[in-house]
Amino acid sequence: MATKDPTAVERANLLNMAKLSIKGLIESALSFGRTLDSDYPPLQQFFVVMEHCLKHGLKVRKSFLSYNKTIWGPLELVEKLYPEAEEIGASVRDLPGLKTPLGRARAWLRLALMQKKMADYLRCLIIQRDLLSEFYEYHALMMEEEGAVIVGLLVGLNVIDANLCVKGEDLDSQNEEDIGNKERNVQIAAILDQKNYVEELNRQLNSTVSSLHSRVDSLEKSNTKLIEELAIAKNNIIKLQEENHQLRSENKLILMKTQQHLEVTKVDVETELQTYKHSRQGLDEMYNEARRQLRDESQLRQDVENELAVQVSMKHEIELAMKLLEKDIHEKQDTLIGLRQQLEEVKAINIEMYQKLQGSEDGLKEKNEIIARLEEKTNKITAAMRQLEQRLQQAEKAQMEAEDEDEKYLQECLSKSDSLQKQISQKEKQLVQLETDLKIEKEWRQTLQEDLQKEKDALSHLRNETQQIISLKKEFLNLQDENQQLKKIYHEQEQALQELGNKLSESKLKIEDIKEANKALQGLVWLKDKEATHCKLCEKEFSLSKRKHHCRNCGEIFCNACSDNELPLPSSPKPVRVCDSCHALLIQRCSSNLP
């Protein structure tokens, strides 16, 4: 074995001594319940241990007279690293009875304990290892991890309250022999603690060894039982293999008979499947045709929507044209020709829409015919299902007759004498075969029932498809309603355009009146058409049917219903269009002017 480093052993011993002294000091101080004096033995022991920990690995300083080895140097560093420690250093230097550096270090430790900051001061030292290397060797306790552990333990001393008199004590010349005896007592206590710890470990190991022995015995017993069970299991496997060979031979005979029966049933099933597939192919073709027609109708619907969008855009263009007509009076005749051309185009579009509607109605009729065909095919499928059910009932009747015959045959066999026992045994074998055949027939019946359920599912699927076709029919009816609404809108637009044509013809006659009114209203503010979107009186929005009209008196814009009055104004002798409010005011003025 490799020998341990003696410095590492020293550090471990000092760490154990520090742990014991700190733990004993805290426990005794808490049980003591008062502030500690300098004569308290555990406290004296703690200071001795701390002094040895700080002295471990300390470098020797040479002087003129002798070699100096003191811990005051590293403790004096704390003032530079921790500004709050300056007060302790100053108070230690001011003490009159202290002459040696060792006495100052002892006084510093006592003051740091009273301030409850010993752990903080020493932590600053341990962090700065570059500065500590001037005072300590590389293997010293303060340079290794043990120093950090001791500093962590010192935090627990903040619980203790100590009142130590530093002035009266002779800290320079304490008896070294007493210190040596205390050290020995501490080491003996540490050795005894280690001995107790080793004894407890030995007891635990003995208990674990005994438990392991008991486990080994139980495992051996279970292993023997498992070996016996394995032998029994092997014998059972041999027996089962023999029985398996016998059963396989019997199974081969049964399979031969069942295969013959299955071949007969397969022929019937294949014929039924072929008929079902032919009917299903016809239904699929009808369904695909219906899908194609639906796609064509959806395309027609999109075309109708596009044409509606075109009509909306045409509507906007007509509104713009109307605004231009009102602004530019001299170009009204040219715009009328353009409007008539647009009317002809709209008529042509409507004729095309009507033709497309007729085509969609023809498509609907074809779809109704397809639905009628699908219903006929579903009826045929239900008839086929009924035939299959009748076949199943016949098979069940045949099974019942076979069972009755078997019972009669058994009664006859029981009535015969002992001489016919050999024949009875043969008949029993035939009975077993018949039972297997019956089981096979039951299984075949179950397969037929499953096929019936599948066909029912296919029927439900077809019904769902017919429901979808009905919903498509409803959508088509909705499209027809929308088309009728569009026709109504178209007729309304035609009426509005006719009214516009009439009003435009009237506007030519009123141009002169407007010119005269414009001369009279040069001082008034004439509201622009773009600024007005709603009637000032009824506040309704302007449109193609609800046009804009200027009041020749106030200059505001009103609808036809709110400005259908005509009165002669002072600016024009002819009657001019006036709003309802101006009409009422002018009538009141005329009535007030009359005698």
Side-chain angles (χ1 to χ4, degrees):
M1 291 177 69
T3 56
K4 290 185 179 180
D5 189 8
T7 55
V9 174
E10 287 175 4
R11 288 198 301 272
N13 291 329
L14 286 170
L15 179 62
N16 291 324
M17 287 169 66
K19 284 180 181 177
L20 290 169
S21 64
I22 291 165
K23 185 180 178 183
L25 178 60
I26 291 166
E27 289 176 355
S28 61
L30 291 171
S31 61
F32 190 59
R34 287 184 292 151
T35 54
L36 305 179
D37 299 328
S38 57
D39 296 330
Y40 193 62
L43 191 62
Q44 291 177 356
Q45 186 181 355
F46 165 71
F47 284 127
V48 170
V49 171
M50 281 303 299
E51 195 173 328
H52 279 280
C53 290
L54 290 168
K55 280 182 180 179
H56 184 263
L58 196 67
K59 288 181 179 179
V60 179
R61 296 283 181 95
K62 292 181 180 180
S63 63
F64 290 108
L65 298 173
S66 63
Y67 293 99
N68 190 8
K69 189 177 180 181
T70 179
I71 58 173
W72 175 242
L75 293 176
E76 208 172 7
L77 260 178
V78 178
E79 295 179 20
K80 298 176 182 177
L81 301 173
Y82 204 83
E84 293 180 7
E86 292 179 358
E87 187 180 350
I88 292 179
S91 59
V92 166
R93 290 187 195 93
D94 293 337
L95 286 171
L98 298 175
K99 296 177 182 178
T100 61
L102 184 62
R104 293 191 190 96
R106 288 168 179 168
W108 190 92
L109 287 171
R110 282 156 176 75
L111 290 171
L113 182 67
M114 283 193 286
Q115 282 187 353
K116 297 182 181 181
K117 288 187 177 180
M118 187 184 288
D120 297 332
Y121 295 155
L122 293 177
R123 189 179 289 111
C124 294
L125 270 177
I126 287 166
I127 292 165
Q128 301 292 329
R129 290 190 179 179
D130 297 334
L131 298 172
L132 277 177
S133 61
E134 295 178 3
F135 299 97
Y136 288 101
E137 300 289 342
Y138 68 93
H139 58 78
L141 186 137
M142 295 294 287
M143 298 288 287
E144 296 292 335
E145 292 180 357
E146 287 85 354
V149 174
I150 290 167
V151 170
L153 293 169
L154 289 172
V155 177
L157 296 176
N158 294 334
V159 182
I160 298 167
D161 293 325
N163 188 7
L164 307 174
C165 183
V166 182
K167 289 182 180 179
E169 289 187 3
D170 187 10
L171 299 172
D172 292 328
S173 60
Q174 282 188 346
N175 206 351
E176 294 292 333
E177 291 179 0
D178 295 337
I179 293 163
N181 291 325
K182 287 176 184 177
E183 276 184 21
R184 286 170 191 168
N185 291 328
V186 170
Q187 287 176 358
I188 289 161
I191 290 161
L192 288 170
D193 289 330
Q194 288 176 359
K195 183 184 176 183
N196 292 325
Y197 178 69
V198 170
E199 285 176 355
E200 286 177 0
L201 280 174
N202 196 5
R203 285 172 192 168
Q204 289 176 0
L205 288 168
N206 288 324
S207 62
T208 52
V209 167
S210 61
S211 64
L212 287 168
H213 280 300
S214 62
R215 282 183 185 176
V216 167
D217 294 332
S218 63
L219 286 168
E220 286 176 353
K221 289 177 182 177
S222 62
N223 194 8
T224 52
K225 286 179 181 178
L226 286 168
I227 291 163
E228 292 173 357
E229 288 175 358
L230 263 173
I232 294 161
K234 284 179 181 177
N235 293 324
N236 290 325
I237 287 162
I238 292 161
K239 290 177 182 177
L240 289 167
Q241 284 176 353
E242 291 174 356
E243 290 177 358
N244 194 4
H245 287 301
Q246 292 177 0
L247 290 168
R248 280 181 181 175
S249 61
E250 291 174 358
N251 196 7
K252 285 177 182 177
L253 293 169
I254 293 161
L255 281 168
M256 292 288 288
K257 292 178 181 178
T258 53
Q259 282 175 359
Q260 292 174 359
H261 188 70
L262 281 168
E263 286 174 357
V264 175
T265 54
K266 275 180 182 177
V267 173
D268 296 330
V269 170
E270 283 176 357
T271 54
E272 290 175 358
L273 276 170
Q274 285 176 359
T275 55
Y276 177 72
K277 284 177 181 177
H278 286 302
S279 61
R280 184 65 185 269
Q281 284 176 358
L283 288 169
D284 289 333
E285 288 173 359
M286 296 293 287
Y287 179 70
N288 290 322
E289 286 177 1
R291 288 285 293 274
R292 286 171 188 169
Q293 288 177 358
L294 276 171
R295 285 174 186 170
D296 294 333
E297 285 180 0
S298 62
Q299 286 178 358
L300 284 169
R301 186 177 177 182
Q302 286 179 358
D303 293 333
V304 169
E305 287 176 355
N306 292 325
E307 287 171 359
L308 275 170
V310 170
Q311 284 185 358
V312 171
S313 63
M314 293 287 288
K315 185 179 176 182
H316 290 298
E317 288 176 1
I318 290 162
E319 287 178 357
L320 290 168
M322 289 299 299
K323 289 177 182 178
L324 290 167
L325 283 169
E326 289 177 358
K327 287 180 182 178
D328 303 321
I329 295 165
H330 295 289
E331 296 177 358
K332 283 182 181 179
Q333 291 178 353
D334 298 331
T335 51
L336 268 171
I337 293 161
L339 282 168
R340 284 173 185 170
Q341 289 176 357
Q342 287 176 359
L343 272 169
E344 288 174 359
E345 288 175 359
V346 170
K347 284 179 181 178
I349 289 161
N350 284 320
I351 289 160
E352 288 177 2
M353 287 282 289
Y354 183 70
Q355 289 174 358
K356 285 179 182 177
L357 266 173
Q358 286 180 349
S360 61
E361 285 175 356
D362 296 331
L364 249 181
K365 288 177 183 178
E366 289 177 359
K367 280 183 182 177
N368 290 323
E369 290 175 359
I370 290 160
I371 288 160
R373 289 175 190 170
L374 286 169
E375 286 176 354
E376 288 176 0
K377 286 191 177 179
T378 51
N379 292 323
K380 288 178 182 178
I381 289 162
T382 51
M385 291 288 290
R386 285 173 186 170
Q387 288 177 1
L388 287 169
E389 287 177 355
Q390 288 175 1
R391 285 182 186 175
L392 275 171
Q393 288 175 0
Q394 289 174 1
E396 286 176 355
K397 285 179 183 178
Q399 188 179 356
M400 293 291 287
E401 288 174 359
E403 287 177 356
D404 294 333
E405 287 176 359
D406 290 335
E407 288 177 357
K408 288 177 183 178
Y409 186 73
L410 281 168
Q411 288 175 0
E412 288 175 0
C413 289
L414 290 168
S415 64
K416 286 180 181 181
S417 63
D418 296 330
S419 62
L420 297 170
Q421 283 180 357
K422 293 179 181 179
Q423 293 178 0
I424 290 163
S425 62
Q426 290 176 0
K427 294 292 180 182
E428 284 177 353
K429 288 178 182 178
Q430 289 177 1
L431 274 170
V432 171
Q433 289 176 359
L434 286 168
E435 285 176 355
T436 54
D437 292 333
L438 283 168
K439 286 179 183 177
I440 291 160
E441 284 179 358
K442 285 180 182 177
E443 290 175 355
W444 182 65
R445 184 183 173 188
Q446 287 177 358
T447 53
L448 284 171
Q449 286 177 354
E450 288 176 356
D451 293 331
L452 281 169
Q453 285 179 355
K454 288 178 182 177
E455 288 178 355
K456 286 178 182 177
D457 294 331
L459 271 171
S460 63
H461 183 67
L462 288 168
R463 283 171 186 167
N464 291 324
E465 287 177 354
T466 53
Q467 287 178 359
Q468 288 177 0
I469 290 162
I470 290 160
S471 63
L472 287 168
K473 190 175 179 182
K474 289 178 181 177
E475 286 180 0
F476 182 73
L477 291 170
N478 292 324
L479 284 168
Q480 280 184 344
D481 295 332
E482 287 178 0
N483 196 1
Q484 288 176 0
Q485 290 177 1
L486 287 168
K487 281 181 180 179
K488 287 179 183 178
I489 293 163
Y490 168 70
H491 289 305
E492 288 176 359
Q493 287 177 356
E494 276 189 346
Q495 289 176 2
L497 286 168
Q498 286 175 2
E499 289 177 0
L500 281 169
N502 294 324
K503 287 177 181 178
L504 283 168
S505 61
E506 290 175 2
S507 64
K508 286 181 180 180
L509 299 171
K510 292 179 181 179
I511 287 166
E512 295 177 359
D513 298 336
I514 291 163
K515 285 179 180 179
E516 292 175 358
N518 281 328
K519 288 176 183 178
L521 292 168
Q522 283 177 358
L524 294 172
V525 177
W526 194 264
L527 190 65
K528 292 180 181 179
D529 292 338
K530 290 181 180 179
E531 294 176 358
T533 57
H534 294 76
C535 179
K536 195 171 182 182
L537 281 176
C538 63
E539 294 183 353
K540 289 182 180 178
E541 191 176 1
F542 294 116
S543 63
L544 283 170
S545 58
K546 192 176 282 295
R547 294 180 65 247
K548 301 175 184 178
H549 297 282
H550 280 89
C551 177
R552 301 295 186 269
N553 188 28
C554 61
E556 297 289 339
I557 295 172
F558 300 91
C559 64
N560 189 21
C562 297
S563 63
D564 57 352
N565 306 307
E566 288 185 353
L567 281 174
L569 295 173
S571 58
S572 64
K574 291 181 181 180
V576 189
R577 185 184 285 273
V578 180
C579 66
D580 292 343
S581 58
C582 292
H583 183 264
L585 286 168
L586 290 167
I587 288 167
Q588 285 179 2
R589 286 177 188 172
C590 290
S591 61
S592 62
N593 290 326
L594 289 170

